[in-house]
Amino acid sequence: MTRNTARIIGSSVLAMGVLLLCTLPLFAQDNNTYLQHAVRFGISPRLDELAKLPQAPQYGFHEANPVRRIPKRPIGPVVDTVEQRGAAPSANYSIIANILGVGNGFPNYSVPDAPPDTNMAVGDTQIVQWVNVSYTVCNKTTLVCGPAIAGNLIWSSLGGNCASNNAGDPIAQWDGVAHRWLLAQNFFSGNFGVCVAISQTNDANGAYFLYQFPALNNGFPDYPKWGVWVNNYGQTWNNFGVGGGGFVGPVFCAYNRAKLLAGDNTAEQICHQYPNNSPNFEDSLLPADIDLGPPPSGEDQFAIGSLGDIDNTHVSLYSVHVTTSPFSATFTGDNDSQLLSIANFTPSCHGSFGGACVPQKGISDLADSLGDRMMYRFAYSNDVQGTSVPPCFTCTPPRFQHYLVNWDVEASGGNIGPRWMELRAPESNVPVTSLTVFQQGTYAPDGNWRWMGSLARDRMGNILLGYSVSCGSTCPGGTSGGVFPSVYITGRTISDPPGTMEAETQVVGGAGSQPDTSNRWGDYSSMRLDTNDTLNGCTFWYTQEYYMVTQRFDWSTRINSATFSNCTGGN
């Protein structure tokens, strides 16, 4: 059934301003799934050449779009059976690199907005860190970062909303199989849409294929997240309807990876609108994102989400099955039909699933915990480390697929700690319903508040978790005198007791708290596994925000790497 007409508009930097027009229909595969094509296409100049151009000055302070929360039923306190109230005195991991990212203190940069939406991806030789309206490209070896570049500058030759808008919950991704970069952000004005840039080589400073896609049914595409998969790139967002008027439900899109990589202006997206059926909502899905792979041949891309929409002992699972010729997709999980049982938890902020409740040293302003959703990413790794190693169904020890995710929960002391989970499935092509919880824990070794985490797993099975730590001057059981919001990591080796983390390590101590700024913090951080390091998948990279001084709109960010002592390379 034809729904409306979309246009693909091609632009070329070799012929600036020349547009190629053609029409392609939007098809409904079923009542809730739609095939759409890119409405604009172009090729950018090299990013390092764009960075030399004068950039538009930014005046005053800009607050990102307000948090659009999904109503959730408050849940009273329960006993958290997996809460970890102490930690081992030592750690088997160590920090390697530790540098300043974009923010206060970064050369020639003045913070224009909040929150930073701190995000990062790691490639062959480079790191791309993106903090809401600006990104930088850093050398992994020298730890030298280039200038802060306006996020929408890369789409300047494309024109339209992608070129003129720069406030869309950015995501930087690295496709480790194709050795290419994916940079993306949504735009939240006019006819809402999705801006995608795919590098032509493994050089983040090179030229990019540029695409603009529509938002499904022109709904406000809030809080988008991306995951790299085998034959598609998955994206999720919360649809807040035409004009942002009201929550419609979460959206899961699959993009034609092959065409995006090839610079094909007929590239498609297939998007599924999940329902919003009160009293059980669905929201805030995270698509699986490959760190170490590949997954078994033919395995679908999974997603997880809908935290607290059923109760506090289940979350919902989803999947998309993509066929490439012709490009089509089938989605599962509507109406919370695929539940995963988890350990009981008390939602953050005294059972309310988030809000401004995190105390800070020296001020009465509270920081926001987005406890109503799972934190980016839904990280995937496979015990089969490369195409030269065949799947094994009878190996000793057996091989598994692993998925990791975390979110904020309330600990027994009333503070917040990250609830982290490792899910497993057999090393074979399985449906999403085969996922089970292998281990889970709530990390709350003292009375400090820990929130907005991200985690990943290395080739040896070690896990590293990063997060923010804060505590007011009267924080019960916390650090005496309080803690300015700071960046910490903790981790576990594969031989540690299940559900436990080792002693935490400070990445950088904050020297100020965040006043005003509508209490915004985050809205996410990013833990990444370097699959192209000399150790063949042992190095973690983490980025998160903190404050050097107590002053509104003046956050800083940190980029650090870490490794475990038992991960020493090899195949």
Side-chain angles (χ1 to χ4, degrees), residues 95-109:
I95 294 174
I96 308 300
N98 196 347
I99 62 174
L100 185 69
V102 177
N104 179 21
F106 194 81
N108 302 312
Y109 189 79

Side-chain angles (χ1 to χ4, degrees), residues 3-67:
R3 299 272 299 184
N4 59 28
T5 300
R7 293 187 303 169
I8 292 182
I9 305 173
S11 65
S12 171
V13 298
L14 300 177
M16 296 294 287
V18 176
L19 300 180
L20 304 176
L21 304 179
C22 64
T23 59
L24 285 172
L26 178 153
F27 294 104
Q29 294 191 170
D30 56 44
N31 290 335
N32 298 304
T33 304
Y34 302 94
L35 172 66
Q36 305 179 110
H37 293 81
V39 296
R40 284 180 180 260
F41 171 78
I43 300 175
S44 78
R46 286 185 56 88
L47 185 59
D48 51 11
E49 292 299 320
L50 282 172
K52 298 176 183 177
L53 299 176
Q55 298 186 43
Q58 304 203 39
Y59 300 101
F61 296 129
H62 160 103
E63 186 172 321
N65 289 289
V67 176

Side-chain angles (χ1 to χ4, degrees), residues 557-571:
T557 67
R558 207 74 183 175
I559 300 171
N560 78 278
S561 67
T563 60
F564 282 82
S565 58
N566 67 347
C567 200
T568 56
N571 295 318

Side-chain angles (χ1 to χ4, degrees), residues 62-70 113-115 117 132 167-169 188-189 192 220-225 238-240 243-247 284 355 368 370 372-373 517-524 553:
H62 160 103
E63 186 172 321
N65 289 289
V67 176
R68 286 172 167 81
R69 303 186 191 277
I70 286 78
D113 62 351
D117 295 340
N132 211 335
D169 290 337
F188 300 143
S189 64
F192 307 127
F220 191 105
D222 188 52
Y223 207 70
K225 298 294 173 283
N238 287 329
N239 181 359
F240 277 86
F247 183 58
S284 306
D368 195 350
L370 288 183
D372 62 341
R373 64 200 70 188
T517 323
S518 296
N519 308 107
R520 297 296 296 276
W521 190 269
D523 287 337
Y524 39 96
F553 289 99

Side-chain angles (χ1 to χ4, degrees), residues 137-154:
V137 179
C138 307
N139 184 293
K140 283 196 318 188
T141 303
T142 65
L143 302 179
V144 174
C145 298
I149 306 167
N152 60 331
L153 188 63
I154 196 168

Side-chain angles (χ1 to χ4, degrees), residues 258-570:
K259 286 188 176 181
L260 290 177
L261 290 170
D264 187 335
N265 65 1
T266 67
E268 309 99 330
Q269 62 169 191
I270 298 180
C271 295
H272 182 72
Q273 176 66 69
Y274 285 94
N276 172 21
N277 295 329
S278 181
N280 294 328
F281 299 98
E282 297 181 84
D283 70 277
S284 306
L285 312 188
L286 291 178
D289 187 27
I290 295 176
D291 281 341
L292 292 171
S297 177
E299 181 144 294
D300 298 340
Q301 185 177 29
F302 300 160
I304 192 169
S306 301
L307 182 69
D309 291 342
I310 293 296
D311 54 33
N312 57 344
T313 59
H314 295 88
V315 293
S316 293
L317 297 171
Y318 305 86
S319 71
V320 57
H321 176 79
V322 172
T323 301
T324 56
S325 184
F327 193 70
S328 62
T330 303
F331 298 82
T332 71
D334 291 69
N335 298 305
D336 295 299
S337 58
Q338 299 171 158
L339 296 179
L340 176 73
S341 296
I342 62 175
N344 211 349
F345 70 93
T346 302
S348 67
C349 301
H350 313 299
S352 64
F353 286 97
C357 67
V358 179
Q360 303 179 87
K361 181 178 179 178
I363 61 175
S364 59
D365 300 69
L366 304 173
D368 195 350
S369 161
L370 288 183
D372 62 341
R373 64 200 70 188
M374 292 179 162
M375 290 284 102
Y376 187 66
R377 297 175 296 131
F378 191 30
Y380 173 89
S381 66
N382 193 332
D383 287 340
V384 178
Q385 303 301 329
T387 56
S388 63
V389 182
C392 181
F393 307 108
T394 59
C395 289
T396 303
R399 294 172 177 164
F400 293 95
Q401 302 176 74
H402 307 263
Y403 293 80
L404 297 113
V405 72
N406 85 105
W407 69 96
D408 298 343
V409 305
E410 183 162 304
S412 55
N415 52 318
I416 289 176
R419 165 69 68 87
W420 61 274
M421 294 196 310
E422 179 182 3
L423 311 182
R424 287 203 322 194
E427 175 47 53
S428 59
N429 186 337
V430 297
V432 67
T433 50
S434 291
L435 289 180
T436 57
V437 177
F438 171 63
Q439 60 175 332
Q440 56 189 314
T442 297
Y443 190 69
D446 55 36
N448 291 337
W449 295 59
R450 297 167 176 84
W451 83 109
M452 209 153 286
S454 185
L455 75 167
R457 181 180 186 270
D458 71 13
R459 60 179 299 273
M460 298 299 294
N462 308 309
I463 295 172
L464 196 70
L465 169 67
Y467 45 85
S468 291
V469 174
S470 183
C471 196
S473 58
T474 58
C475 185
T479 301
S480 177
V483 179
F484 291 119
S486 303
V487 182
Y488 278 76
I489 57 175
T490 186
R492 57 168 283 107
T493 68
I494 196 168
S495 60
D496 285 326
T500 64
M501 290 285 179
E502 298 175 350
E504 65 186 2
T505 298
Q506 184 185 86
V507 174
V508 60
S513 292
Q514 176 181 270
D516 192 13
T517 323
S518 296
N519 308 107
R520 297 296 296 276
W521 190 269
D523 287 337
Y524 39 96
S525 64
S526 185
M527 178 71 74
R528 292 287 188 173
L529 181 68
D530 188 346
T531 58
N532 304 286
D533 63 355
T534 57
L535 299 178
N536 193 26
C538 290
T539 305
F540 297 88
W541 291 85
Y542 182 60
T543 188
Q544 173 64 291
E545 72 165 298
Y546 67 105
Y547 272 70
M548 292 183 176
V549 62
T550 299
Q551 181 169 297
R552 65 190 298 264
F553 289 99
D554 212 13
W555 44 261
S556 299
T557 67
R558 207 74 183 175
I559 300 171
N560 78 278
S561 67
T563 60
F564 282 82
S565 58
N566 67 347
C567 200
T568 56

